[in-house]
């Protein structure tokens, strides 16, 4: 048993995977498993969260960081324990009728004792776990907590000496008005002083070279962009969802997958049945994975299968999965299960049928020749056209303590110097969860003559962001800039997902900017690209439940596989609830969630398997090939307190042999073989 745990820890924590871990670090890891009674996989999830909280996705596991991680884990569990104790105490006082008893707790309240029961705050900062009372300036020199009204319209001042940044060098202002001294965990990293700028942290297809940029930009665009999505359907009216329509969309999806399974496996109608009905014969049940509880994370004990109205009247039946060791379930997943419900109380699963995949994209040799000729451009003598240079990044695009958009400026500068063909950017561009945007506590540049009373957030975008794109378009007229919105964009009038495009004219963007919906499937020459700014990978990681031996052990390969098998940009239902991150101050505001409009989830379905899938996420950035799909997570260009990452795709033209040309059959694009992806620190 001990050896199996040690092997599992090596597989999860060793760098590179499968390498060795020093005995000291292994001892610390095993100690954490024993102390907190958690599995190695759960410990790895907590390590990933800790790495993201520290602002560095490549945090190495040495003895120092292992001990710091152990301390942080212990403190977080203690905080949760204290919080539960306080809730139980408050509930007991409430049930007792609200009467005040002569306890030390109530005496402290009546005598104006500090936050942790310290009379007159005499022990602030001197005793462990006794926080210093945080104060801000108040009227008449008194001290009180400064809190802005939660629902007033923020005013925008047009004059300031230090625009768009936090005013104090020694302290940081948070949205709730609290000031606190900087420490190692909350200190912002200056963008100019960022370490390892330009460092490549991961490369896919390293054998493909990165060519030198040309001496001048192409005379015309080398890419033809076409939308494989009906854009008009995204202009629906949000916040007008009817329960009957939503339930029909969810129910139709089960029936559609039933037809797919029947056709793919060539099964008769008699092979299918109602999982919720008592039956001693084995049947194939198609339905949606769900939980038997509205709260808490999905687990093996809470698994239920939701049937369609046509087959099972929409009933839910508990699933017993003891007889299978390999499964990967998440809420909303459509599955085909072979089993039996002999008692009528639960459905015993004996086999899980694999979902049929969509066909890969393909083109005729003549069509590929046209696209290769477009890559060649004016260089008619060149037998080997220069590969496409595609840069990909996900928002946010500025740190939490300013609105300078320095990472975006640096990215556009790199696109300018390398004469990039395509720049793909996903929102948010003006993030509603940004501390300065959410409170309106910022100022516009003083040298601009702006009427503060008439200025809007569109004005803010035109001043702070649009100029960066206009300058790039002037320097590289052949570039194509693709902008995908996010539900966190304050610029978007469409608050739900799926989401209509932003307005290029309103935002003052150049003609090189292509505004597309979220999600979208595009054709870039012959290549099909699926893009969604919704962080589905993080939500799937929080929601999935695994068997003892999952088919795919690598989590960064397993999560995109769910999207490919389910043929959808957001197959999770319901989405993960909104929660405040544990490393942030609770100011009473919840972060923006998935914001799904269930009635229009069909707009997120796939009609064909894309060559490239772009899914920005807070998970560590990566580039992987999953089921012949090149999956790219560029990461976030700017993290809350430090710079982030972006992806650069070097895509070589398709090669056609004489034999393939003579046969005249359509050819698969095989982008995963001719595309090099570099994940780079900005």
């Amino acid at each position: 048993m001990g050896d199996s745990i040690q092997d599992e820890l090596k597989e999860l924590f060793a760098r590179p995977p499968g390498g060795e871990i020093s005995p000291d670090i292994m001892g610390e890891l095993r100690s954490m498993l024993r102390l907190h009674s958690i599995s190695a996989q759960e410990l790895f999830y907590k390590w990933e969260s800790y790495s993201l909280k520290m602002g560095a996705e490549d945090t190495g596991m040495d003895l120092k960081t292992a001990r710091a991680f152990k301390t942080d884990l212990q403190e977080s569990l203690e905080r949760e324990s204290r919080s539960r104790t306080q809730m139980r105490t408050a509930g007991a006082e409430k049930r007792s009728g609200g009467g005040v008893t002569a306890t030390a707790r109530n005496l402290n309240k009546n005598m104006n004792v500090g936050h942790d029961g310290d009379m007159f705050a005499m022990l602030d900062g001197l005793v462990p776990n006794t926080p210093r009372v945080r104060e801000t300036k108040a009227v008449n020199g008194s001290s009180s907590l400064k809190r802005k009204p939660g629902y007033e319209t923020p005013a925008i001042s047009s004059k300031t000496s230090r625009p768009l940044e936090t005013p104090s060098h020694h302290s940081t202002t948070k949205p709730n008005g609290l000031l606190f001294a900087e420490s190692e965990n909350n200190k912002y990293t200056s963008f100019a002083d960022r370490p390892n700028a330009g460092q490549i942290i991961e490369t896919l297809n390293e054998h493909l070279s990165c060519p030198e940029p040309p001496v001048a930009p192409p005379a015309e665009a080398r890419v033809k962009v076409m939308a494989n999505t009906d854009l008009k359907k995204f202009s629906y009216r949000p916040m007008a969802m009817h329960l009957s329509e939503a339930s029909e969309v969810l129910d139709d999806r089960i029936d559609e997958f039933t037809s797919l399974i029947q056709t793919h496996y060539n099964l008769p109608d008699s092979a299918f049945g109602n999982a919720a009905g008592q039956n001693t014969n084995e049947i194939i049940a198609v339905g949606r994975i769900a939980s038997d509880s509205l709260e808490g994370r999905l687990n093996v004990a809470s698994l239920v299968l939701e049937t369609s109205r046509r087959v099972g009247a929409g009933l839910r039946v508990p699933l017993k999965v003891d007889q299978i060791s390999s499964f990967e379930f998440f809420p909303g997943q459509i599955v085909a299960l072979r089993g039996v419900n002999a008692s009528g109380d639960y459905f015993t699963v004996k086999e899980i049928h694999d979902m049929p995949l969509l066909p890969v994209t393909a083109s005729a040799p003549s069509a590929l020749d046209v696209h290769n000729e477009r890559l060649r451009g004016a260089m008619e003598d060149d037998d080997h056209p220069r590969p496409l240079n595609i840069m990909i990044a996900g928002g946010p695009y500025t740190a939490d303590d300013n609105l300078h958009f320095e990472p975006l400026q640096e990215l556009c500068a790199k696109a300018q110097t390398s004469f990039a063909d395509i720049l793909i950017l996903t929102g948010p561009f003006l993030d509603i969860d940004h501390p300065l945007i959410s409170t309106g506590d910022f100022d516009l540049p003083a040298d601009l003559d702006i009427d503060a009373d008439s200025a809007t957030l569109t004005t803010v975008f035109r001043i702070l962001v649009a100029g960066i794109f206009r300058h790039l378009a002037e320097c590289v007229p052949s570039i194509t800039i693709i902008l995908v919105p996010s539900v966190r964009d304050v610029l978007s009038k469409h608050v739900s997902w799926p989401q209509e495009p932003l307005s290029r004219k309103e935002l003052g963007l150049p003609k090189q900017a292509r505004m597309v919906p979220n999600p979208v499937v595009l054709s870039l020459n012959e290549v099909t690209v699926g893009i969604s700014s919704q962080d589905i990978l993080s939500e799937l990681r929080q929601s999935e439940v695994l068997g003892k031996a999952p088919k795919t052990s690598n989590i960064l390969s397993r999560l995109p596989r769910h999207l490919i098998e389910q043929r959808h940009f957001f197959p999770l239902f319901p989405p993960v609830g909104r929660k405040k991150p544990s490393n942030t101050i609770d100011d009473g505001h919840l972060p923006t969630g998935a914001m799904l409009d269930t009635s229009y989830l069909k707009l997120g379905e796939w009609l064909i398997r894309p060559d490239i899938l772009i899914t920005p996420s807070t998970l560590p950035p990566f580039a992987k090939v999953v089921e012949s799909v090149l999956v790219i997570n560029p990461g976030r260009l700017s993290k809350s307190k430090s710079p982030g990452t972006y992806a650069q795709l070097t895509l070589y033209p398709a090669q056609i042999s004489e034999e393939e040309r003579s046969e005249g059959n359509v050819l698969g694009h095989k982008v995963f073989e001719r595309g090099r992806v570099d994940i780079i620190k900005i």
Side-chain angles (χ1 to χ4, degrees), residues 381-428:
D381 298 334
D382 193 352
D383 294 333
H384 302 285
R386 182 168 53 89
L388 280 176
N389 178 10
I390 304 174
M391 303 179 73
I392 307 165
Y397 295 96
T398 188
D400 278 359
D401 65 335
N402 67 72
L403 292 177
H404 293 157
F405 290 91
E406 294 168 301
L408 180 61
Q409 295 182 45
E410 180 67 17
L411 180 69
C412 289
K414 291 182 179 296
Q416 175 185 336
T417 55
S418 63
F419 299 117
D421 295 292
I422 306 173
L423 179 61
I424 300 176
L425 302 176
T426 65

Side-chain angles (χ1 to χ4, degrees), residues 253-279 281-287 305 307-308 310-312 334-341 347 351-356:
R253 186 163 166 80
I254 299 177
D255 291 336
E256 290 169 2
F257 270 85
T258 302
S259 300
L260 289 173
I261 291 291
Q262 184 172 8
T263 303
H264 180 74
Y265 289 101
N266 194 22
L267 297 171
D269 292 340
S270 58
F272 297 87
N274 176 16
Q278 184 176 2
N279 196 331
N281 298 323
E282 283 191 359
I283 61 169
I284 295 176
V286 181
L305 184 72
T307 62
S308 67
R310 181 175 64 87
V311 176
I334 307 298
V335 294
L337 309 175
R338 183 177 64 83
V340 63
N341 185 354
F347 186 79
E351 183 184 358
I352 303 174
H353 286 279
D354 292 331
M355 285 295 171

